Amino acid sequence: MNKPKVYIAKFIPQEVEDYIAQYCDYEKCEDEDITREQLIEKLKDKDGLLASGTRIDEELLEKAQKLKVVSNMSVGYNNFNLEAMKKRNIIGTNVAGSLDDTVADLIFGLMLACARRITELDRYVKAGKWKKDDDLDLYGANVHHSTLGIIGMGRIGEAVAKRASLGFDMKVLYYNRSRKPEVEKKLGVKYCSMEEVLKASDFIVIMTPLTEETHHLIDEAEFNIMKPNAIFINASRGKTVNEKALIEALQSKKIKAAGLDVFDVEPVQADNPLLKMDNVVTLPHIGSANDDTRFAMAKLAAENLVKALNGENAPNIVPELKQE
Ligand code: DGY
């Protein structure tokens, strides 16, 4: 029997490529920046695609008539046009569960860096500005025993809550579409309305998927009710926040600082005012980026692809595309 044909649009480790080769005939990209037109051309005779962030919409599906499976090597799947995929019965998978602790570590890094001004003071020391021993102007804020508000209590939210509650003795409030009684019991976190979370928290972490409902979930009105000492952290997707409102909130000191792994436009544009602010810590969308985690993500994405193409139950079909 002929093997299914797949295109690998993301660099993956050799071991994972060898696994795919056992079950599929494959072509892989030499350059991850392959244009959309080139990708569409490649997909004309392919049954499966392994990619990350590639827009899967009607136009692409129209031209990739054989495509049956899209395996996303990321947890977020805001690149999927779910309606278009449903119409064509395309199986779409993600790598949920492979990166929770890694992203939670990074979120904690951002919280600590903002509160204790680590990146700002690193620049200060290296610039030779350290002239006296105890400079009040360099003081930061405590993370331990402060209040953390988590918007979006999925797996990553829970991993952040665990660190906060068990490691840093923080009071943890959360808002989520659905209540998580088992997490409340396990970690002592408290469910609140979004307004209560925003009003009471010293740190606000947004970790929701990007959907129509969460687009600009945090906007001017939300920044207006945060505490002036609030530190805002986003490692989800840039568009869950109205970036203009964030910039205005920082400029007018409605909030104290921000730690950002994601932006409205990525890579972030050089003239983005956030890049000029000492109280903003910026990262290049790197939440899951280490060798072990990227290996686990690639392996899971490959398993999803192979299993779905073989008609087996793929472990990670995204909820909206699951057939009952
Ligand atoms: C994810 O897995 O969604 C990460 O943000 C990488 O895109």
Side-chain angles (χ1 to χ4, degrees):
M1 210 173 77
N2 284 344
K3 289 180 179 174
K5 288 192 167 80
V6 303
Y7 189 73
I8 304 171
K10 180 91 190 142
F11 292 148
I12 55 171
Q14 188 59 49
E15 193 180 322
V16 178
E17 197 175 310
D18 293 345
Y19 163 78
I20 293 177
Q22 288 175 51
Y23 303 96
C24 307
D25 287 331
Y26 72 96
E27 237 188 293
K28 63 175 181 178
C29 65
E30 297 307 327
D31 176 359
E32 280 188 352
D33 289 331
I34 175 171
T35 65
R36 189 168 162 82
E37 287 67 36
Q38 288 166 331
L39 177 69
I40 287 177
E41 192 53 40
K42 295 280 182 198
L43 289 181
K44 281 193 169 144
D45 61 343
K46 302 295 186 296
D47 304 288
L49 167 68
L50 188 155
S52 170
T54 302
R55 191 156 41 87
I56 308 297
D57 54 13
E58 237 159 286
E59 184 214 8
L60 180 141
L61 294 177
E62 190 53 42
K63 294 179 177 154
Q65 281 293 325
K66 295 200 161 160
L67 199 64
K68 297 172 193 69
V69 179
V70 180
S71 171
N72 238 13
M73 198 181 121
S74 64
V75 170
Y77 51 94
N78 48 297
N79 56 312
F80 286 176
N81 180 328
L82 295 165
E83 283 317 307
M85 290 172 77
K86 260 188 224 163
K87 242 195 273 168
R88 277 272 323 272
N89 283 325
I90 303 289
I91 299 175
T93 62
N94 72 353
V95 292
S98 60
L99 49 68
D100 310 334
D101 281 317
T102 304
V103 177
D105 283 353
L106 189 91
I107 289 173
F108 245 85
L110 285 171
M111 287 165 58
L112 288 160
C114 289
R116 302 305 303 270
R117 301 166 58 185
I118 292 173
T119 50
E120 177 193 351
L121 297 183
D122 171 66
R123 289 191 293 272
Y124 169 90
V125 173
K126 287 177 180 160
K129 292 183 182 165
W130 184 16
K131 300 288 184 220
K132 58 178 178 174
D133 242 2
D134 189 22
D135 187 341
L136 295 182
D137 286 344
L138 307 185
Y139 284 17
N142 277 332
V143 176
H144 69 84
H145 293 95
S146 60
T147 299
L148 167 64
I150 300 177
I151 312 280
M153 187 58 94
R155 296 167 194 250
I156 299 173
E158 187 179 334
V160 173
K162 184 173 169 191
R163 284 157 177 73
S165 178
L166 306 182
F168 284 74
D169 292 311
M170 295 175 87
K171 177 173 172 187
V172 182
L173 313 176
Y174 80 99
Y175 171 74
N176 196 54
R177 264 187 319 180
S178 55
R179 222 173 139 162
K180 299 282 179 90
E182 71 294 353
V183 183
E184 290 174 29
K185 206 160 137 209
K186 197 163 55 177
L187 300 175
V189 302
K190 185 168 177 242
Y191 181 76
C192 298
S193 68
M194 187 151 109
E195 190 178 330
E196 284 168 327
V197 171
L198 298 176
K199 279 185 174 163
S201 300
D202 303 305
F203 294 85
I204 292 158
V205 169
I206 177 156
M207 212 50 240
T208 59
L210 175 63
T211 63
E212 270 174 34
E213 290 77 44
T214 63
H215 184 265
H216 288 188
L217 183 66
I218 305 295
D219 209 327
E220 191 185 345
E222 285 67 37
F223 285 115
N224 284 346
I225 58 172
M226 290 181 193
K227 288 168 136 183
N229 71 319
I231 293 177
F232 178 75
I233 308 290
N234 188 8
S236 61
R237 287 289 183 267
K239 290 185 195 302
T240 55
V241 178
N242 180 346
E243 202 168 271
K244 284 204 177 81
L246 169 63
I247 291 167
E248 198 279 321
L250 287 159
Q251 282 168 341
S252 59
K253 300 196 177 0
K254 280 182 200 161
I255 63 169
K256 185 172 177 173
L260 306 170
D261 187 36
V262 291
F263 296 85
D264 194 355
V265 175
E266 295 180 5
V268 68
Q269 288 167 321
D271 62 352
N272 188 320
L274 292 166
L275 304 187
K276 299 272 179 302
M277 299 182 188
D278 275 337
N279 54 345
V280 176
V281 178
T282 55
L283 292 174
H285 197 152
I286 206 149
S288 63
N290 69 44
D291 288 342
D292 291 346
T293 302
R294 284 290 163 94
F295 182 85
M297 291 165 72
K299 191 156 169 271
L300 183 54
E303 284 167 5
N304 286 331
L305 180 72
V306 166
K307 287 191 178 157
L309 283 169
N310 282 334
E312 291 171 43
N313 271 343
N316 284 84
I317 298 180
V318 303
E320 296 85 343
L321 297 175
K322 272 190 186 140
Q323 285 173 352
E324 299 312 322

